[in-house]
């Protein structure tokens, strides 16, 4: 797997049998795509919260009833035999985290960086990952 193929944590849904990331803005629901072909299917360019158009991200406003399924995705990795949540993917690196006092000894053992009490992060490459784990949990939109 390539690092660019990793999903980001968040809410996803099935629309016409295809999986999309979902974004909610001003009580409107948008499906998000990175496939320029979707511009032919009613998508337009994504506009971020400060009003800038993002050239390689596309969106389409939909009614929540058009979604076949909705779920929250949390991405995890196995690193040195232990499972960690992916918190950020950037600059071809993955940042994994521990949270909680019970994980502090493990974080120190694996040379994680202290962020704040009971929170430690470590930047790793995709080559250091033993396994990628995607956890899904159903979510219901209001």
């Amino acid at each position: 797997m390539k690092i660019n193929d990793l999903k980001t944590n968040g809410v996803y849904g099935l629309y016409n049998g295809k999986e999309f990331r979902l974004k909610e803005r001003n009580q409107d629901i948008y499906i998000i795509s990175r496939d320029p072909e979707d511009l032919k299917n009613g998508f337009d360019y994504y506009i971020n919260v400060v009003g800038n158009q993002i050239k390689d991200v596309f969106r389409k406003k939909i009614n929540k009833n058009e979604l076949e399924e909705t779920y929250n995705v949390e991405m995890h990795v196995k690193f040195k035999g232990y499972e960690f949540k992916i918190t950020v993917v950037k600059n071809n690196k993955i940042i994994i985290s521990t949270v909680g006092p019970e994980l502090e000894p493990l974080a120190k053992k694996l040379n994680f960086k202290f962020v704040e009490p009971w929170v430690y992060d470590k930047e790793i490459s995709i080559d250091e990952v033993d396994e990628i784990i995607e956890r899904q949990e159903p979510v219901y939109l209001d």
Side-chain angles (χ1 to χ4, degrees), residues 11 21-32 46 49 59-60 62 64 139-142:
V11 178
R21 176 96 192 255
L22 303 180
K23 289 281 186 183
E24 192 173 351
R25 187 177 299 162
N26 301 326
Q27 300 179 337
D28 292 327
I29 296 174
Y30 294 88
I31 52 176
I32 307 301
Y46 184 83
V49 292
R59 70 179 185 176
K60 179 178 183 177
I62 62 164
K64 68 180 175 186
V139 78
Y140 303 96
L141 304 176
D142 296 330

Side-chain angles (χ1 to χ4, degrees), residues 18-50:
K18 188 174 173 185
E19 182 181 65
F20 292 95
R21 176 96 192 255
L22 303 180
K23 289 281 186 183
E24 192 173 351
R25 187 177 299 162
N26 301 326
Q27 300 179 337
D28 292 327
I29 296 174
Y30 294 88
I31 52 176
I32 307 301
S33 172
R34 291 188 171 270
D35 183 355
E37 287 296 309
D38 283 328
L39 287 169
K40 298 174 186 172
N41 300 317
F43 283 70
D44 56 11
Y45 287 93
Y46 184 83
I47 308 295
N48 66 17
V49 292
V50 293

Side-chain angles (χ1 to χ4, degrees), residues 31-123:
I31 52 176
I32 307 301
S33 172
R34 291 188 171 270
D35 183 355
E37 287 296 309
D38 283 328
L39 287 169
K40 298 174 186 172
N41 300 317
F43 283 70
D44 56 11
Y45 287 93
Y46 184 83
I47 308 295
N48 66 17
V49 292
V50 293
N52 296 326
Q53 178 179 302
I54 309 300
K55 68 177 181 166
D56 58 349
V57 180
F58 315 99
R59 70 179 185 176
K60 179 178 183 177
K61 184 177 169 182
I62 62 164
N63 184 309
K64 68 180 175 186
N65 299 331
E66 295 177 87
L67 292 164
E68 299 151 32
E69 186 179 348
T70 55
Y71 45 91
N72 189 57
V73 169
E74 244 188 35
M75 298 300 294
H76 296 252
V77 296
K78 278 221 174 157
F79 170 72
K80 301 201 181 226
Y82 300 96
E83 186 175 322
F84 299 98
K85 181 179 179 183
I86 296 175
T87 52
V88 177
V89 176
K90 69 174 185 179
N91 301 328
N92 271 342
K93 296 287 185 178
I94 299 168
I95 297 176
I96 56 178
S97 297
T98 67
V99 178
E102 71 282 359
L103 294 174
E104 190 169 14
L106 177 61
K108 288 180 178 179
K109 173 184 170 185
L110 297 177
N111 297 316
F112 277 56
K113 183 180 83 179
F114 175 83
V115 176
E116 59 185 61
W118 303 321
V119 178
Y120 290 80
D121 284 350
K122 184 167 185 77
E123 186 176 280

